[in-house]
Amino acid sequence: MRKPLLAANWKMYKTVAESRAYGRSLLQQLAAIPQWRDACDVLICPPAPSIWPLSQVLVESGVRIGAQNVDKGREGAVTGALSGYLLHEAGADFVIVGHSERRQLFAETDEMIAQKVQAAQENRLVPIVCVGETQEQHEAGITEAVVLKQMDAALKNWDRSAPLTLAYEPIWAIGSGQVPAVETVNNLARKMRSQLGREGERVRILYGGSVSSQNIERFCQASDIDGALVGGASLKVMELIAMLKTCVK
Ligand code: PGA
């Protein structure tokens, strides 16, 4: 069966020193909940400069490291780009692809996101592909159509034999303190899964958007939601630990 995933998206927060200190504190806290390893995967996606140093702190802990973006290709004259090859070698096993902040602030298109999914999978990174509707689309009642279309476009080049994770993140829920009803998310996750065909049952589908220790329990209990992608609340170790304790309960 699908193992839940608690994924932290640190966005553009934490220096290398702060990331290391977080990692050390996380290790101490995890020692008190040894059952976490069997019950839930934990992933931290720090800013790129912290990927390698954090992976050194967390080595052999079972906590996984991910990147927040990936560029296509392997090596080359592409100033500023970070390929999956480089990220994987630096310690990343996962990568967030198509986050709404990248779609909006960096004009990432469905086509670019499809290429990034391919680039991730070719370099042994598990893509966490983000989809989600805007406030206007939510109010217009077209969430399902929007999300399924985004998903299809992002997975155009998907290698069905390689692992994949999806994250449903309504844009209006990110950083706003608002969360959709769990039944709505669960129903949507089921539809996403069935649209994936035969592989749908083994693809993890996360919920993201204002998840905290106060509301994670309802998402953990839903049949088709396999964990959470957490931004703001993941920046504090004790809050991450509180969420993990709820997930492993
Ligand atoms: P949030 O962010 O938890 O701060 O709402 C989630 C995300 O953007 O992945």
Side-chain angles (χ1 to χ4, degrees):
M1 271 319 282
R2 302 179 303 267
K3 192 175 179 186
L5 172 64
L6 180 60
N9 174 11
W10 284 0
K11 309 191 178 184
M12 200 168 67
Y13 291 102
K14 293 199 190 292
T15 62
V16 170
E18 288 164 348
S19 304
R20 280 207 187 100
Y22 184 110
R24 285 192 292 268
S25 167
L26 181 61
L27 290 180
Q28 278 174 359
Q29 296 298 328
L30 288 174
I33 32 173
Q35 74 278 22
W36 77 269
R37 282 164 182 269
D38 294 328
C40 187
D41 285 335
V42 176
L43 168 71
I44 313 278
C45 301
S50 290
I51 290 176
W52 170 252
L54 187 60
S55 76
Q56 294 304 290
V57 174
L58 295 174
V59 70
E60 283 169 21
S61 67
V63 178
R64 317 293 290 275
I65 309 284
Q68 299 174 15
N69 181 36
V70 63
D71 292 297
K72 60 180 181 162
R74 178 185 165 100
E75 294 173 314
V78 194
T79 302
L82 290 171
S83 70
Y85 170 70
L86 298 179
L87 293 166
H88 185 263
E89 198 269 345
D93 291 321
F94 288 76
V95 60
I96 299 169
V97 176
H99 190 282
S100 58
E101 287 154 15
R102 297 222 42 104
R103 292 180 193 255
Q104 290 177 336
L105 302 172
F106 297 90
E108 286 191 6
T109 62
D110 284 340
E111 181 58 35
M112 288 158 77
I113 291 161
Q115 287 175 350
K116 285 169 187 254
V117 170
Q118 184 177 0
Q121 292 192 317
E122 283 172 358
N123 289 287
R124 291 178 288 161
L125 295 174
V126 181
I128 301 178
V129 181
C130 301
V131 291
E133 82 285 8
T134 62
Q135 175 89 48
E136 295 70 45
Q137 291 165 331
H138 171 64
E139 282 164 10
I142 55 170
T143 295
E144 186 182 316
V146 168
V147 166
L148 294 179
K149 187 162 168 273
Q150 277 179 348
M151 189 182 84
D152 273 354
L155 300 184
K156 203 176 77 180
N157 311 321
W158 172 35
D159 173 359
R160 287 176 173 262
S161 67
L164 170 75
T165 295
L166 295 169
Y168 168 56
E169 297 205 308
I171 296 171
W172 52 271
I174 294 175
S176 67
Q178 288 178 276
V179 289
V182 67
E183 297 75 27
T184 311
V185 178
N186 201 49
N187 288 339
L188 181 59
R190 196 168 307 126
K191 294 206 171 107
M192 290 163 74
R193 213 180 280 298
S194 74
Q195 180 141 315
L196 294 174
R198 210 155 36 90
E199 286 77 16
E201 284 308 310
R202 62 170 180 78
V203 170
R204 282 202 275 216
I205 303 181
L206 312 180
Y207 167 71
S210 295
V211 174
S212 71
S213 61
Q214 301 304 304
N215 60 26
I216 198 168
E217 185 161 17
R218 63 187 95 143
F219 294 108
C220 292
Q221 288 169 347
S223 58
D224 278 274
I225 306 172
D226 308 312
L229 179 56
V230 188
S234 74
L235 293 169
K236 293 201 180 89
V237 178
M238 292 318 294
E239 185 62 12
L240 189 81
I241 289 291
M243 289 186 275
L244 181 60
K245 281 184 174 160
T246 304
C247 293
V248 305
K249 223 169 39 196

PDB file of all heavy atoms in Angstrom, residues 158-181:
ATOM      1  N   TRP A 158       5.406  11.487 -18.731  1.00  0.00           N
ATOM      2  CA  TRP A 158       5.572  10.687 -17.523  1.00  0.00           C
ATOM      3  C   TRP A 158       6.035   9.263 -17.832  1.00  0.00           C
ATOM      4  O   TRP A 158       5.444   8.571 -18.650  1.00  0.00           O
ATOM      5  CB  TRP A 158       4.223  10.678 -16.798  1.00  0.00           C
ATOM      6  CG  TRP A 158       4.105   9.764 -15.636  1.00  0.00           C
ATOM      7  CD1 TRP A 158       5.071   9.438 -14.741  1.00  0.00           C
ATOM      8  CD2 TRP A 158       2.917   9.061 -15.231  1.00  0.00           C
ATOM      9  NE1 TRP A 158       4.558   8.583 -13.790  1.00  0.00           N
ATOM     10  CE2 TRP A 158       3.245   8.334 -14.068  1.00  0.00           C
ATOM     11  CE3 TRP A 158       1.621   8.984 -15.720  1.00  0.00           C
ATOM     12  CZ2 TRP A 158       2.310   7.532 -13.405  1.00  0.00           C
ATOM     13  CZ3 TRP A 158       0.697   8.199 -15.059  1.00  0.00           C
ATOM     14  CH2 TRP A 158       1.048   7.482 -13.915  1.00  0.00           C
ATOM     15  N   ASP A 159       7.089   8.845 -17.149  1.00  0.00           N
ATOM     16  CA  ASP A 159       7.552   7.460 -17.239  1.00  0.00           C
ATOM     17  C   ASP A 159       6.778   6.653 -16.193  1.00  0.00           C
ATOM     18  O   ASP A 159       7.023   6.766 -14.993  1.00  0.00           O
ATOM     19  CB  ASP A 159       9.065   7.417 -16.959  1.00  0.00           C
ATOM     20  CG  ASP A 159       9.587   5.992 -16.860  1.00  0.00           C
ATOM     21  OD1 ASP A 159       8.775   5.040 -16.992  1.00  0.00           O
ATOM     22  OD2 ASP A 159      10.799   5.833 -16.630  1.00  0.00           O
ATOM     23  N   ARG A 160       5.847   5.852 -16.665  1.00  0.00           N
ATOM     24  CA  ARG A 160       4.942   5.138 -15.764  1.00  0.00           C
ATOM     25  C   ARG A 160       5.641   4.074 -14.927  1.00  0.00           C
ATOM     26  O   ARG A 160       5.073   3.554 -13.979  1.00  0.00           O
ATOM     27  CB  ARG A 160       3.799   4.498 -16.563  1.00  0.00           C
ATOM     28  CG  ARG A 160       2.809   5.523 -17.059  1.00  0.00           C
ATOM     29  CD  ARG A 160       1.723   4.949 -17.934  1.00  0.00           C
ATOM     30  NE  ARG A 160       0.732   5.977 -18.223  1.00  0.00           N
ATOM     31  CZ  ARG A 160      -0.415   6.119 -17.562  1.00  0.00           C
ATOM     32  NH1 ARG A 160      -0.741   5.262 -16.620  1.00  0.00           N
ATOM     33  NH2 ARG A 160      -1.246   7.092 -17.871  1.00  0.00           N
ATOM     34  N   SER A 161       6.874   3.747 -15.279  1.00  0.00           N
ATOM     35  CA  SER A 161       7.577   2.734 -14.489  1.00  0.00           C
ATOM     36  C   SER A 161       8.357   3.366 -13.333  1.00  0.00           C
ATOM     37  O   SER A 161       8.869   2.674 -12.475  1.00  0.00           O
ATOM     38  CB  SER A 161       8.535   1.946 -15.398  1.00  0.00           C
ATOM     39  OG  SER A 161       9.565   2.808 -15.844  1.00  0.00           O
ATOM     40  N   ALA A 162       8.443   4.710 -13.321  1.00  0.00           N
ATOM     41  CA  ALA A 162       9.206   5.392 -12.268  1.00  0.00           C
ATOM     42  C   ALA A 162       8.245   5.987 -11.238  1.00  0.00           C
ATOM     43  O   ALA A 162       7.110   6.288 -11.558  1.00  0.00           O
ATOM     44  CB  ALA A 162      10.057   6.504 -12.885  1.00  0.00           C
ATOM     45  N   PRO A 163       8.713   6.143  -9.987  1.00  0.00           N
ATOM     46  CA  PRO A 163       7.811   6.673  -8.963  1.00  0.00           C
ATOM     47  C   PRO A 163       7.389   8.120  -9.229  1.00  0.00           C
ATOM     48  O   PRO A 163       8.127   8.894  -9.844  1.00  0.00           O
ATOM     49  CB  PRO A 163       8.620   6.601  -7.660  1.00  0.00           C
ATOM     50  CG  PRO A 163       9.957   6.094  -7.997  1.00  0.00           C
ATOM     51  CD  PRO A 163      10.049   5.834  -9.460  1.00  0.00           C
ATOM     52  N   LEU A 164       6.199   8.428  -8.764  1.00  0.00           N
ATOM     53  CA  LEU A 164       5.617   9.756  -8.968  1.00  0.00           C
ATOM     54  C   LEU A 164       4.776  10.110  -7.746  1.00  0.00           C
ATOM     55  O   LEU A 164       4.127   9.247  -7.161  1.00  0.00           O
ATOM     56  CB  LEU A 164       4.700   9.715 -10.206  1.00  0.00           C
ATOM     57  CG  LEU A 164       3.828  10.939 -10.456  1.00  0.00           C
ATOM     58  CD1 LEU A 164       4.669  12.092 -11.000  1.00  0.00           C
ATOM     59  CD2 LEU A 164       2.697  10.618 -11.439  1.00  0.00           C
ATOM     60  N   THR A 165       4.816  11.383  -7.357  1.00  0.00           N
ATOM     61  CA  THR A 165       3.930  11.894  -6.304  1.00  0.00           C
ATOM     62  C   THR A 165       3.222  13.122  -6.859  1.00  0.00           C
ATOM     63  O   THR A 165       3.814  13.887  -7.619  1.00  0.00           O
ATOM     64  CB  THR A 165       4.755  12.251  -5.045  1.00  0.00           C
ATOM     65  OG1 THR A 165       5.321  11.049  -4.514  1.00  0.00           O
ATOM     66  CG2 THR A 165       3.904  12.886  -3.966  1.00  0.00           C
ATOM     67  N   LEU A 166       1.973  13.281  -6.489  1.00  0.00           N
ATOM     68  CA  LEU A 166       1.219  14.475  -6.886  1.00  0.00           C
ATOM     69  C   LEU A 166       0.854  15.252  -5.629  1.00  0.00           C
ATOM     70  O   LEU A 166       0.709  14.660  -4.557  1.00  0.00           O
ATOM     71  CB  LEU A 166      -0.073  14.071  -7.615  1.00  0.00           C
ATOM     72  CG  LEU A 166       0.105  13.350  -8.947  1.00  0.00           C
ATOM     73  CD1 LEU A 166      -1.233  12.787  -9.414  1.00  0.00           C
ATOM     74  CD2 LEU A 166       0.645  14.310  -9.998  1.00  0.00           C
ATOM     75  N   ALA A 167       0.716  16.556  -5.770  1.00  0.00           N
ATOM     76  CA  ALA A 167       0.253  17.356  -4.638  1.00  0.00           C
ATOM     77  C   ALA A 167      -0.861  18.263  -5.120  1.00  0.00           C
ATOM     78  O   ALA A 167      -0.656  19.071  -6.039  1.00  0.00           O
ATOM     79  CB  ALA A 167       1.397  18.181  -4.056  1.00  0.00           C
ATOM     80  N   TYR A 168      -2.028  18.104  -4.519  1.00  0.00           N
ATOM     81  CA  TYR A 168      -3.134  19.015  -4.826  1.00  0.00           C
ATOM     82  C   TYR A 168      -3.024  20.198  -3.865  1.00  0.00           C
ATOM     83  O   TYR A 168      -3.161  20.035  -2.650  1.00  0.00           O
ATOM     84  CB  TYR A 168      -4.482  18.315  -4.677  1.00  0.00           C
ATOM     85  CG  TYR A 168      -5.627  19.302  -4.694  1.00  0.00           C
ATOM     86  CD1 TYR A 168      -5.787  20.180  -5.764  1.00  0.00           C
ATOM     87  CD2 TYR A 168      -6.521  19.380  -3.630  1.00  0.00           C
ATOM     88  CE1 TYR A 168      -6.806  21.126  -5.766  1.00  0.00           C
ATOM     89  CE2 TYR A 168      -7.554  20.311  -3.631  1.00  0.00           C
ATOM     90  CZ  TYR A 168      -7.682  21.180  -4.701  1.00  0.00           C
ATOM     91  OH  TYR A 168      -8.681  22.122  -4.692  1.00  0.00           O
ATOM     92  N   GLU A 169      -2.746  21.373  -4.440  1.00  0.00           N
ATOM     93  CA  GLU A 169      -2.585  22.583  -3.637  1.00  0.00           C
ATOM     94  C   GLU A 169      -3.450  23.709  -4.201  1.00  0.00           C
ATOM     95  O   GLU A 169      -3.021  24.416  -5.133  1.00  0.00           O
ATOM     96  CB  GLU A 169      -1.118  23.044  -3.648  1.00  0.00           C
ATOM     97  CG  GLU A 169      -0.149  22.069  -3.043  1.00  0.00           C
ATOM     98  CD  GLU A 169       1.103  22.770  -2.526  1.00  0.00           C
ATOM     99  OE1 GLU A 169       1.722  23.538  -3.293  1.00  0.00           O
ATOM    100  OE2 GLU A 169       1.441  22.571  -1.366  1.00  0.00           O
ATOM    101  N   PRO A 170      -4.648  23.886  -3.646  1.00  0.00           N
ATOM    102  CA  PRO A 170      -5.463  25.011  -4.119  1.00  0.00           C
ATOM    103  C   PRO A 170      -4.709  26.314  -3.834  1.00  0.00           C
ATOM    104  O   PRO A 170      -4.230  26.516  -2.714  1.00  0.00           O
ATOM    105  CB  PRO A 170      -6.735  24.936  -3.265  1.00  0.00           C
ATOM    106  CG  PRO A 170      -6.620  23.735  -2.399  1.00  0.00           C
ATOM    107  CD  PRO A 170      -5.252  23.171  -2.519  1.00  0.00           C
ATOM    108  N   ILE A 171      -4.592  27.169  -4.832  1.00  0.00           N
ATOM    109  CA  ILE A 171      -3.761  28.371  -4.672  1.00  0.00           C
ATOM    110  C   ILE A 171      -4.316  29.273  -3.563  1.00  0.00           C
ATOM    111  O   ILE A 171      -3.560  29.866  -2.798  1.00  0.00           O
ATOM    112  CB  ILE A 171      -3.658  29.126  -6.022  1.00  0.00           C
ATOM    113  CG1 ILE A 171      -2.932  28.216  -7.031  1.00  0.00           C
ATOM    114  CG2 ILE A 171      -2.911  30.454  -5.871  1.00  0.00           C
ATOM    115  CD1 ILE A 171      -2.946  28.722  -8.456  1.00  0.00           C
ATOM    116  N   TRP A 172      -5.628  29.295  -3.428  1.00  0.00           N
ATOM    117  CA  TRP A 172      -6.262  30.155  -2.418  1.00  0.00           C
ATOM    118  C   TRP A 172      -6.014  29.625  -0.996  1.00  0.00           C
ATOM    119  O   TRP A 172      -6.227  30.357  -0.024  1.00  0.00           O
ATOM    120  CB  TRP A 172      -7.772  30.277  -2.685  1.00  0.00           C
ATOM    121  CG  TRP A 172      -8.477  28.961  -2.852  1.00  0.00           C
ATOM    122  CD1 TRP A 172      -8.651  28.279  -4.018  1.00  0.00           C
ATOM    123  CD2 TRP A 172      -9.068  28.165  -1.827  1.00  0.00           C
ATOM    124  NE1 TRP A 172      -9.318  27.098  -3.788  1.00  0.00           N
ATOM    125  CE2 TRP A 172      -9.589  27.013  -2.450  1.00  0.00           C
ATOM    126  CE3 TRP A 172      -9.220  28.309  -0.446  1.00  0.00           C
ATOM    127  CZ2 TRP A 172     -10.237  26.004  -1.745  1.00  0.00           C
ATOM    128  CZ3 TRP A 172      -9.872  27.310   0.267  1.00  0.00           C
ATOM    129  CH2 TRP A 172     -10.376  26.174  -0.386  1.00  0.00           C
ATOM    130  N   ALA A 173      -5.564  28.396  -0.896  1.00  0.00           N
ATOM    131  CA  ALA A 173      -5.317  27.827   0.441  1.00  0.00           C
ATOM    132  C   ALA A 173      -3.860  28.006   0.880  1.00  0.00           C
ATOM    133  O   ALA A 173      -3.545  27.857   2.063  1.00  0.00           O
ATOM    134  CB  ALA A 173      -5.675  26.341   0.452  1.00  0.00           C
ATOM    135  N   ILE A 174      -2.984  28.325  -0.065  1.00  0.00           N
ATOM    136  CA  ILE A 174      -1.557  28.416   0.271  1.00  0.00           C
ATOM    137  C   ILE A 174      -1.278  29.676   1.087  1.00  0.00           C
ATOM    138  O   ILE A 174      -1.574  30.788   0.639  1.00  0.00           O
ATOM    139  CB  ILE A 174      -0.690  28.389  -1.009  1.00  0.00           C
ATOM    140  CG1 ILE A 174      -0.828  27.020  -1.698  1.00  0.00           C
ATOM    141  CG2 ILE A 174       0.778  28.680  -0.681  1.00  0.00           C
ATOM    142  CD1 ILE A 174      -0.114  26.915  -3.028  1.00  0.00           C
ATOM    143  N   GLY A 175      -0.767  29.461   2.275  1.00  0.00           N
ATOM    144  CA  GLY A 175      -0.376  30.577   3.136  1.00  0.00           C
ATOM    145  C   GLY A 175      -1.524  31.451   3.621  1.00  0.00           C
ATOM    146  O   GLY A 175      -1.292  32.523   4.173  1.00  0.00           O
ATOM    147  N   SER A 176      -2.757  31.016   3.421  1.00  0.00           N
ATOM    148  CA  SER A 176      -3.915  31.868   3.735  1.00  0.00           C
ATOM    149  C   SER A 176      -4.604  31.480   5.035  1.00  0.00           C
ATOM    150  O   SER A 176      -5.452  32.211   5.536  1.00  0.00           O
ATOM    151  CB  SER A 176      -4.942  31.771   2.602  1.00  0.00           C
ATOM    152  OG  SER A 176      -5.484  30.455   2.582  1.00  0.00           O
ATOM    153  N   GLY A 177      -4.293  30.290   5.542  1.00  0.00           N
ATOM    154  CA  GLY A 177      -5.000  29.812   6.727  1.00  0.00           C
ATOM    155  C   GLY A 177      -6.331  29.147   6.392  1.00  0.00           C
ATOM    156  O   GLY A 177      -6.993  28.588   7.252  1.00  0.00           O
ATOM    157  N   GLN A 178      -6.714  29.195   5.112  1.00  0.00           N
ATOM    158  CA  GLN A 178      -7.969  28.544   4.697  1.00  0.00           C
ATOM    159  C   GLN A 178      -7.655  27.149   4.174  1.00  0.00           C
ATOM    160  O   GLN A 178      -6.680  26.979   3.436  1.00  0.00           O
ATOM    161  CB  GLN A 178      -8.595  29.309   3.537  1.00  0.00           C
ATOM    162  CG  GLN A 178      -9.194  30.641   3.900  1.00  0.00           C
ATOM    163  CD  GLN A 178      -9.731  31.287   2.626  1.00  0.00           C
ATOM    164  OE1 GLN A 178      -8.981  31.925   1.894  1.00  0.00           O
ATOM    165  NE2 GLN A 178     -10.999  31.084   2.348  1.00  0.00           N
ATOM    166  N   VAL A 179      -8.492  26.183   4.505  1.00  0.00           N
ATOM    167  CA  VAL A 179      -8.304  24.849   3.912  1.00  0.00           C
ATOM    168  C   VAL A 179      -9.645  24.346   3.377  1.00  0.00           C
ATOM    169  O   VAL A 179     -10.685  24.632   3.961  1.00  0.00           O
ATOM    170  CB  VAL A 179      -7.744  23.806   4.926  1.00  0.00           C
ATOM    171  CG1 VAL A 179      -6.309  24.085   5.276  1.00  0.00           C
ATOM    172  CG2 VAL A 179      -8.581  23.724   6.174  1.00  0.00           C
ATOM    173  N   PRO A 180      -9.610  23.596   2.277  1.00  0.00           N
ATOM    174  CA  PRO A 180     -10.854  23.038   1.761  1.00  0.00           C
ATOM    175  C   PRO A 180     -11.351  21.900   2.662  1.00  0.00           C
ATOM    176  O   PRO A 180     -10.597  21.381   3.476  1.00  0.00           O
ATOM    177  CB  PRO A 180     -10.462  22.505   0.380  1.00  0.00           C
ATOM    178  CG  PRO A 180      -8.990  22.324   0.425  1.00  0.00           C
ATOM    179  CD  PRO A 180      -8.444  23.229   1.475  1.00  0.00           C
ATOM    180  N   ALA A 181     -12.594  21.523   2.473  1.00  0.00           N
ATOM    181  CA  ALA A 181     -13.140  20.386   3.230  1.00  0.00           C
ATOM    182  C   ALA A 181     -12.397  19.120   2.822  1.00  0.00           C
ATOM    183  O   ALA A 181     -12.099  18.917   1.639  1.00  0.00           O
ATOM    184  CB  ALA A 181     -14.627  20.233   2.936  1.00  0.00           C
TER     185      ALA A 181
END
